[in-house]
Amino acid sequence: FLCMGAAPSSPVAAERCCAAESGRAPRHPSFAAFGHLHAAAHLPTDFGLLSRVCALAGIPAALVTEAGIRQMLRTVKMLRLCDYSGGDIRVSLAHSVLYMRITLRICGSEMDAQEASNTLILLVFIAHSYTQDETCPLRVWHHHLFKGYCTVRNLDSALVKLLQFQRWVLRVPQHDLDHTLQLLKDTEFVLPGGPRISGLPGPDACLSVSRMSARSPLTPRED
């Protein structure tokens, strides 16, 4: 699922830095290349939102493919159909951006496109579990997003490795979080009002698990 190595520099990372300095929200070039996938988004704003997420995380263009974008859109769609608010989803995505930057520095050069998209999605799960009081459990994510890619045991192992990359600390600097949220903010979040999509879970599938329970194995690092 994940390999060790050094992440290469990329035009996307450079664009992210320029965008951070100018205060504008960047767009990922791969999303422009696969603009037809806009129709696959559960909400029209989701496509642009994920373009910003990938750009801010600094994911190289070669690692963002049509299949990966579809999987990311499906992830956001699942969370919306589980009745998480747009604001809650945005907070989870903002955390995952900061986690993904660390992950790319450690093993980005060894990732292929499928690994990159699945890693980002698993980081969204970690962020979701950390920030939400009631969470959609990992087995639901595996069933709807990872079932054809790996076993639950492999997913658990990848989860532990990603937590190790974060040094078991999921708290992020407040100014980094605020800045990332600001850059994601110009995407409007609207609660889904359309029909439920076949094959994705509804709210009943997302059993409540307290955030404290999800965070219990994690011991914050002493600053």
Side-chain angles (χ1 to χ4, degrees):
F1 200 111
L2 296 170
C3 300
M4 298 297 293
S9 60
S10 72
V12 175
E15 179 185 352
R16 185 193 76 208
C17 294
C18 293
E21 293 175 358
S22 66
R24 65 181 174 85
R27 306 296 194 275
H28 197 283
S30 294
F31 280 72
F34 300 111
H36 61 282
L37 294 178
H38 187 278
H42 185 59
L43 294 182
T45 53
D46 290 347
F47 186 82
L49 172 66
L50 288 171
S51 175
R52 295 181 184 95
V53 166
C54 290
L56 289 169
I59 304 176
L63 298 184
V64 180
T65 63
E66 179 173 357
I69 293 173
R70 286 187 182 277
Q71 190 74 337
M72 287 181 247
L73 288 169
R74 189 174 174 87
T75 302
V76 174
K77 185 183 297 184
M78 182 188 75
L79 291 172
R80 292 196 184 281
L81 292 179
C82 287
D83 286 346
Y84 291 99
S85 71
D88 286 341
I89 293 170
R90 184 162 56 91
V91 168
S92 295
L93 291 174
H95 278 78
S96 71
V97 164
L98 301 175
Y99 299 157
M100 188 66 174
R101 291 178 188 174
I102 294 172
T103 303
L104 286 172
R105 287 199 298 268
I106 295 172
C107 65
S109 65
E110 301 301 321
M111 285 185 184
D112 60 27
Q114 188 176 32
E115 287 174 330
S117 60
N118 284 327
T119 295
L120 178 60
I121 292 168
L122 190 53
L123 288 169
V124 175
F125 166 77
I126 290 173
H128 165 80
S129 300
Y130 176 66
T131 61
Q132 301 304 303
D133 291 323
E134 295 187 350
T135 65
C136 186
L138 185 62
R139 58 182 177 78
V140 174
W141 290 65
H142 177 266
H143 180 75
H144 292 281
L145 299 170
F146 295 103
K147 190 174 182 178
Y149 180 66
C150 66
T151 66
V152 175
R153 178 169 294 189
N154 287 340
L155 197 61
D156 281 335
S157 297
L159 183 66
V160 171
K161 185 174 289 189
L162 287 174
L163 290 170
Q164 290 173 339
F165 290 168
Q166 306 302 319
R167 296 178 62 189
W168 303 96
V169 178
L170 298 182
R171 182 183 66 253
V172 298
Q174 190 62 46
H175 66 278
D176 290 344
L177 178 60
D178 290 343
H179 184 63
T180 304
L181 284 169
Q182 185 62 37
L183 291 174
L184 296 177
K185 193 174 183 179
D186 61 350
T187 295
E188 182 183 7
F189 285 85
V190 183
L191 290 177
R196 194 171 301 284
I197 305 300
S198 176
L200 285 173
D204 292 342
C206 297
L207 302 181
S208 298
V209 179
S210 71
R211 182 174 66 179
M212 292 307 296
S213 175
R215 292 174 59 187
S216 59
L218 306 181
T219 303
R221 182 179 62 229
E222 292 295 330
D223 295 330

